[in-house]
Amino acid sequence: VAQIAVLGAAVAYVYASLDVLPPHTIALCVPLVYYVVFSYMDHAEYGLGKPWVSFARWRGLHFLIGAHETSSWLKARILYDDESALKACELKGLLPDSEGGARAIFACFPHGVVSFHHGVLMTDTAGFVSKFPTFVTNRCDLVASITLAVPGYRELLMWLGCVDAGKKTAKKVLNSGKHLYVLPGGEAEQLLTEYKKHRVFLNSRKGFVKLAIEHGAALVPVYAFGETDMYHTTEFLMPARKLLMKHLRVAVPLFWGLCGSPVPKRTTLVVVVGAPIAVEKVSSENITREMVETTHLKFLNALKQMFDKHKETCGYPNAVLEVF
C-alpha cells in the first residue's frame, strides 16, 4: 500500500506539472498499472506460483467452497481408500531424491462444470490440510491458462497454489520437489458434464502418466461423487463450442443450478482419494509407448475399482462410470 501511494503521488505530481492529465485521474490509474505490472508480468504462473499457506487454512474459504458442517449449503467430506498408504506417500515426499524421496500426482475426476472438489483438496474445508499438511502446502495445481487471466480470480487461485497447465510448468513443479494436482479430462470432460452422470475423459489423456514415469511420481486416483449433481447442462450449440475448444482451448459449458441461476444445487460432495500407485522412474529418452500404455491401463483400472468400491457408500449404488 505504501509503495502504491508513493508511486501514485510521484507520477501524479510529474504529470500534473506537465498539464497532461488531472492529478486525480493519474492517481486512479497508478494502482491499476501497478497491479498489472507486479501481478501479470512476473509470470509466476509458469513457475511455482504464489502460494499462501495461511490463506488455504482460512476458515472463510468454507463459505466459498462448501464445508463439512451440517449447516453448509454444500457439504463436503473426504473418503480415503487407504489412509495409511497415503500417509506413507506423504512422508516419502519429504525426503530428497537421493534418499528415496518421491512426489505424487493426484489425478482428479470428474471436471464437472466448476470443479468444486478441487477447492476441497486445496483447502481445509473437509480437513485435508489438517490430515495431510504437505499434500497441500508442498504442492501445485494445474489450471487452465484462461482462468489465470481473470483479475482477482487469478490471485485467489495462485494463493491456493495454482499454476498454468502447461507441460513445462508441470515439469518445473515436479523437479522442484512438489506434488502435482491435475484434472486430466480438462475442457473435453467439462463439456461432457451431464446432470447426475458419471463421465470421465481419460482414454486419450496419457500426458500425466508419462510425467509420472519420467519423475517416478506415484499416481493417486481421485473421484468426486456429487460434482455433477450441482448443475444441469445442455448440448445447445455443442458443435460450435467443441470447435471453440479445439482452436482456443476454452470450454464454454451452458448450465444452470438452483432455480435456473448460477447457484449450485444443494449437494453432498464426497471426494474419494485412492491409494497411491507406485511408478518406477525412467529417464525421458528411455520411456516407451508400451510403458505409458501399461501404466495408463493400471491407473484406469484402479480408478474403476475405486469407483465401484465406494459408490454405494457415497449414495450412488446404481452409478456407472462412463469412460471416454
Side-chain angles (χ1 to χ4, degrees), residues 117-135:
H117 71 278
H118 206 185
V120 172
L121 295 177
M122 288 179 185
T123 66
D124 208 24
T125 54
F128 193 59
V129 178
S130 301
K131 194 176 288 286
F132 298 100
T134 61
F135 274 156

Side-chain angles (χ1 to χ4, degrees), residues 229-307:
D229 292 1
M230 300 180 185
Y231 295 106
H232 290 276
T233 59
T234 177
E235 294 203 357
F236 180 66
L237 294 178
M238 184 60 79
R241 289 188 282 145
K242 284 185 177 180
L243 193 65
L244 186 67
M245 180 189 72
K246 179 180 179 181
H247 293 286
L248 299 180
R249 305 297 299 170
V250 175
V252 183
L254 300 180
F255 64 94
W256 64 93
L258 184 69
C259 300
S261 74
V263 178
K265 293 190 173 186
R266 191 164 191 169
T267 308
T268 297
L269 189 63
V270 186
V271 183
V272 182
V273 182
I277 303 168
V279 177
E280 185 179 352
K281 185 176 182 178
V282 179
S283 58
S284 57
E285 62 270 15
N286 293 324
I287 296 176
T288 65
R289 183 176 179 180
E290 184 180 0
M291 288 179 188
V292 175
E293 294 288 347
T294 300
T295 306
H296 182 270
L297 181 60
K298 187 176 182 180
F299 175 85
L300 177 57
N301 289 335
L303 179 66
K304 288 178 177 179
Q305 290 170 11
M306 183 183 75
F307 180 91

Side-chain angles (χ1 to χ4, degrees), residues 20-289:
V20 178
L21 287 174
H24 64 273
T25 303
I26 298 298
L28 290 174
C29 292
V30 166
L32 177 61
V33 174
Y34 190 93
Y35 170 74
V36 171
V37 170
F38 289 94
S39 180
Y40 283 82
M41 297 186 70
D42 61 359
H43 301 300
E45 68 269 31
Y46 301 111
L48 300 179
K50 302 175 183 177
W52 184 5
V53 176
S54 299
F55 184 66
R57 294 177 180 270
W58 181 45
R59 289 186 62 83
L61 288 175
H62 297 198
F63 297 99
L64 295 176
I65 301 168
H68 56 285
E69 289 87 353
T70 54
S71 60
S72 299
W73 182 258
L74 293 177
K75 304 180 194 66
R77 64 187 178 96
I78 301 176
L79 185 62
Y80 302 100
D81 195 39
D82 191 335
E83 193 171 324
S84 59
L86 270 175
K87 179 55 70 172
C89 182
E90 181 189 27
L91 295 175
K92 194 175 181 180
L94 297 174
L95 300 173
D97 292 344
S98 59
E99 297 179 21
R103 313 305 153 234
I105 296 178
F106 287 71
C108 309
F109 303 88
H111 189 292
V113 171
V114 180
S115 295
F116 277 96
H117 71 278
H118 206 185
V120 172
L121 295 177
M122 288 179 185
T123 66
D124 208 24
T125 54
F128 193 59
V129 178
S130 301
K131 194 176 288 286
F132 298 100
T134 61
F135 274 156
V136 177
T137 60
N138 188 42
R139 55 82 80 80
C140 284
D141 300 68
L142 300 187
V143 297
S145 304
I146 192 170
T147 61
L148 294 174
V150 182
Y153 190 48
R154 167 190 173 86
E155 271 57 49
L156 174 64
L157 291 178
M158 294 187 75
W159 288 343
L160 291 173
C162 295
V163 293
D164 181 77
K167 185 188 295 185
K168 288 183 179 179
T169 307
K171 288 186 176 183
K172 283 182 184 178
V173 171
L174 292 171
N175 286 331
S176 72
K178 290 180 177 288
H179 304 291
L180 189 66
Y181 287 61
V182 299
L183 291 161
E187 299 93 343
E189 191 171 277
Q190 192 175 13
L191 287 184
L192 275 175
T193 301
E194 188 174 328
Y195 185 61
K196 289 188 177 294
K197 294 285 186 178
H198 301 270
R199 296 173 169 176
V200 298
F201 191 82
L202 182 57
N203 286 332
S204 61
R205 296 299 168 96
K206 300 171 185 176
F208 74 102
V209 173
K210 188 174 181 179
L211 269 177
I213 297 173
E214 185 177 342
H215 294 86
L219 286 170
V220 182
V222 178
Y223 192 87
F225 288 93
E227 183 69 55
T228 57
D229 292 1
M230 300 180 185
Y231 295 106
H232 290 276
T233 59
T234 177
E235 294 203 357
F236 180 66
L237 294 178
M238 184 60 79
R241 289 188 282 145
K242 284 185 177 180
L243 193 65
L244 186 67
M245 180 189 72
K246 179 180 179 181
H247 293 286
L248 299 180
R249 305 297 299 170
V250 175
V252 183
L254 300 180
F255 64 94
W256 64 93
L258 184 69
C259 300
S261 74
V263 178
K265 293 190 173 186
R266 191 164 191 169
T267 308
T268 297
L269 189 63
V270 186
V271 183
V272 182
V273 182
I277 303 168
V279 177
E280 185 179 352
K281 185 176 182 178
V282 179
S283 58
S284 57
E285 62 270 15
N286 293 324
I287 296 176
T288 65
R289 183 176 179 180

